[in-house]
Amino acid sequence: MRILTATKFAAATAGAVLLATGTAHALDDDQPTTATTIAAGAAAHTDDVQIDANAPVITRDNILIHAPLQTIWKIQTDVENWPTWQPNVDVVVKDTPGRLRPGSVFRWTTEGLNITSTVKQVDYGKRLAWGGPAQGITAIHVWTFTPTSDGVLVHTEESWTGDPVTANQATLQTALDNSLHNWVNNLKHQAESQVGK
């Protein structure tokens, strides 16, 4: 497969850093939403961590999850348990104990790549951002969580900069698009499978 290596690299880097700007995926076809709801999920305050809007690779994705916000937040921020629901994540080790907070560091392995991520922002139940360099790529990954009448709209966006991105922009754009699309769908499946338990 032509983009296998890039896809693996993208998946790893995406985990290492919370970044996103660029291609938008629609919500699942069976998950109706409105432009207003999506905009609310993506809205940011001026002091929030943002992706690099000038990055050559940016991806944005949304998904509506039918599960309590607390459940979704717990799954997403319990980084040491990512391997139980993210097939491409092999191991995660927190260097900073306790809840994720600005400055928290965690190391993880995905698709054979070792990544160190630093948390940049935590707004409990609303917003989460982390980032860092990996293999010459600097990533910023931002997540927002917006309760709606139908569930929780999860919006993610990530940006990649660096020489490898400039040199192979189209392939890495596709890789990041696929990586974030898989991430939000895995999060949806994991959260919704816990409803009613």
Side-chain angles (χ1 to χ4, degrees):
M1 183 172 173
R2 183 172 68 81
I3 63 167
L4 180 60
T5 301
T7 301
K8 289 182 178 182
F9 182 73
T13 307
V17 199
L18 284 177
L19 286 166
T21 59
T23 306
H25 290 285
L27 293 176
D28 287 353
D29 291 340
D30 63 339
Q31 307 300 328
T33 190
T34 65
T36 302
T37 303
I38 292 173
H45 301 289
T46 55
D47 57 346
D48 285 334
V49 171
Q50 304 291 331
I51 60 168
D52 183 345
N54 297 313
V57 169
I58 293 172
T59 296
R60 292 184 176 92
D61 212 332
N62 298 290
I63 200 160
L64 186 63
I65 302 179
H66 300 286
L69 174 60
Q70 182 177 2
T71 299
I72 299 165
W73 181 264
K74 182 177 187 304
I75 292 167
Q76 180 69 1
T77 60
D78 186 3
V79 297
E80 290 174 305
N81 278 319
W82 282 355
T84 66
W85 60 275
Q86 287 287 4
N88 294 327
V89 177
D90 300 315
V91 65
V92 181
V93 176
K94 286 169 62 176
D95 290 349
T96 309
R99 280 184 164 184
L100 292 186
R101 57 193 179 278
S104 292
V105 175
F106 57 94
R107 293 174 288 114
W108 51 298
T109 303
T110 181
E111 300 289 355
L113 295 177
N114 297 318
I115 301 166
T116 300
S117 297
T118 302
V119 176
K120 306 296 186 184
Q121 181 180 5
V122 178
D123 186 355
Y124 184 81
K126 296 179 182 177
R127 190 175 178 88
L128 178 64
W130 68 77
Q135 307 294 325
I137 296 177
T138 298
I140 301 167
H141 199 160
V142 177
W143 295 82
T144 56
F145 306 82
T146 306
T148 74
S149 60
D150 297 322
V152 176
L153 179 68
V154 177
H155 175 81
T156 187
E157 51 186 51
E158 185 165 356
S159 60
W160 286 358
T161 58
D163 291 341
V165 183
T166 304
N168 205 2
Q169 182 177 352
T171 300
L172 292 180
Q173 180 69 67
T174 298
L176 184 57
D177 290 349
N178 291 336
S179 177
L180 292 191
H181 182 73
N182 290 336
W183 190 292
V184 296
N185 279 285
N186 289 337
L187 178 60
K188 176 181 175 69
H189 176 76
Q190 180 69 8
E192 291 181 356
S193 71
Q194 293 186 16
V195 174
K197 286 188 175 181

